[in-house]
Amino acid sequence: VSEKDKGQADAINKGFRMVNGDIIAWLNSDDYYLPGAIEQVMLAFEKNPQVGLVYGDVLSVDQAGNTFNVQTFKQYALTDLLGFSIISQPAVFFRKAALQKAGLLDMNFHYLLDHHLWLRMAIETPILYIPQTLAAARYHENAKNVAHTAEFGKEANRIIEWMQQTPSFAKLFEQYKNKIYGGANRLNAFYLVDGGNYLMALESYWQAFKYDPIVVIRELHRVLYCILSLVGLKNLRNIYSHLRRFVKKI
């Protein structure tokens, strides 16, 4: 259907209320599944009946469908999600029972609404990474992860406030406070780099470093890219690309 609603979360929640299958996912209109993805996911659920959520890797494609990156992940624990390790929504599948425990998407979130849901699921059920590329996410100038990069950090801070106010997460927040603040600032910096806000990105990386140095060390290639861009050497993107491949290897 195409009708007026209260935003993306509201529209997806309408779909959630209608589904009658045991495994659920949603796919935005710009994105698509790769051949064999559904079969791989169903096999993972069958082999791991205790798991409530399964996720994999995602291709980043441009408007013409050309791949320019592969978003690769690893097995995350709840603590990693608390620290804003992001998994890509197009390659996430979950059991209806996990959704019923966690509740629907929170309509107060617009940019990290999926991560907020994964957090609520991961505290209730095991999650599983399968090292397979399951979907493709399309990036273009109107996509919110391109057009509204400054909003992701703001919403990460709102999730932190929610953690502090939610009984099931409050103790975890106190226990992993540095990891959480470090991860939120790193996430903010990550999207600011993509939006070309290099000075603000460096400031966020510095804040992240004060809380959790390791999380910034893992993204030294992006920090260097910010510095090169600020001093007018943005065209040295090849250096950035080589460093990125090197960091992934380690």
Side-chain angles (χ1 to χ4, degrees):
V1 298
S2 179
E3 60 187 20
K4 290 184 178 181
D5 53 47
K6 298 177 182 178
Q8 183 184 16
D10 183 36
I12 297 168
N13 283 341
K14 289 180 180 180
F16 285 165
R17 294 187 184 100
M18 295 172 66
V19 297
N20 53 26
D22 293 328
I23 307 299
I24 301 174
W26 82 86
L27 198 63
N28 296 322
S29 59
D30 289 335
D31 307 332
Y32 56 91
Y33 294 127
L34 298 183
I38 305 301
E39 290 81 0
Q40 294 177 63
V41 168
M42 295 307 298
L43 183 61
F45 276 118
E46 289 172 7
K47 289 184 174 180
N48 301 275
Q50 79 285 2
V51 166
L53 181 150
V54 166
Y55 63 100
D57 299 331
V58 176
L59 298 179
S60 299
V61 301
D62 62 19
Q63 285 179 285
N66 301 309
T67 300
F68 63 88
N69 186 37
V70 181
Q71 302 174 48
T72 56
F73 303 97
K74 59 183 180 180
Q75 180 63 54
Y76 291 143
L78 173 60
T79 51
D80 296 307
L81 300 186
L82 288 169
F84 293 92
S85 292
I86 299 297
I87 55 180
S88 189
Q89 172 269 316
V92 177
F93 299 77
F94 45 89
R95 297 186 192 275
K96 187 175 183 179
L99 180 66
Q100 290 171 334
K101 286 182 179 180
L104 301 177
L105 288 166
D106 189 328
M107 292 194 296
N108 293 311
F109 294 99
H110 305 287
Y111 297 93
L112 294 174
L113 71 170
D114 49 355
H115 188 70
H116 185 248
L117 179 59
W118 313 152
L119 281 168
R120 290 185 283 124
M121 285 187 176
I123 202 171
E124 298 283 354
T125 182
I127 67 175
L128 177 68
Y129 166 68
I130 54 177
Q132 304 289 337
T133 307
L134 302 177
R138 197 179 305 274
Y139 289 77
H140 53 82
E141 61 182 11
N142 294 320
K144 66 180 180 181
N145 49 5
V146 176
H148 304 284
T149 52
E151 300 300 322
F152 287 84
K154 295 177 184 177
E155 198 140 287
N157 288 328
R158 290 182 54 220
I159 288 180
I160 288 176
E161 294 175 2
W162 167 82
M163 290 181 192
Q164 294 172 289
Q165 298 166 5
T166 304
S168 57
F169 281 89
K171 289 184 178 179
L172 288 168
F173 172 79
E174 291 300 324
Q175 186 176 357
Y176 298 103
K177 186 183 299 185
N178 285 348
K179 184 181 182 72
I180 292 168
Y181 279 124
N185 280 284
R186 181 214 62 83
L187 179 74
N188 186 40
F190 182 93
Y191 280 103
L192 288 173
V193 171
D194 286 350
N197 298 313
Y198 304 117
L199 184 58
M200 292 177 62
L202 285 176
E203 291 174 355
S204 287
Y205 273 129
W206 171 242
Q207 293 299 320
F209 185 83
K210 290 193 291 185
Y211 285 108
D212 187 1
I214 296 298
V215 77
V216 178
I217 291 172
R218 291 172 182 159
E219 292 197 6
L220 280 179
H221 56 294
R222 292 180 70 86
V223 176
L224 179 58
Y225 180 63
C226 284
I227 296 171
L228 290 173
S229 299
L230 285 172
V231 298
L233 298 176
K234 188 177 179 180
N235 289 333
L236 296 177
R237 191 175 181 88
N238 287 336
I239 294 177
Y240 166 74
S241 298
H242 287 306
L243 283 170
R244 183 174 185 175
R245 286 194 291 268
F246 174 75
V247 170
K248 282 187 175 181
K249 288 180 181 178
I250 61 174

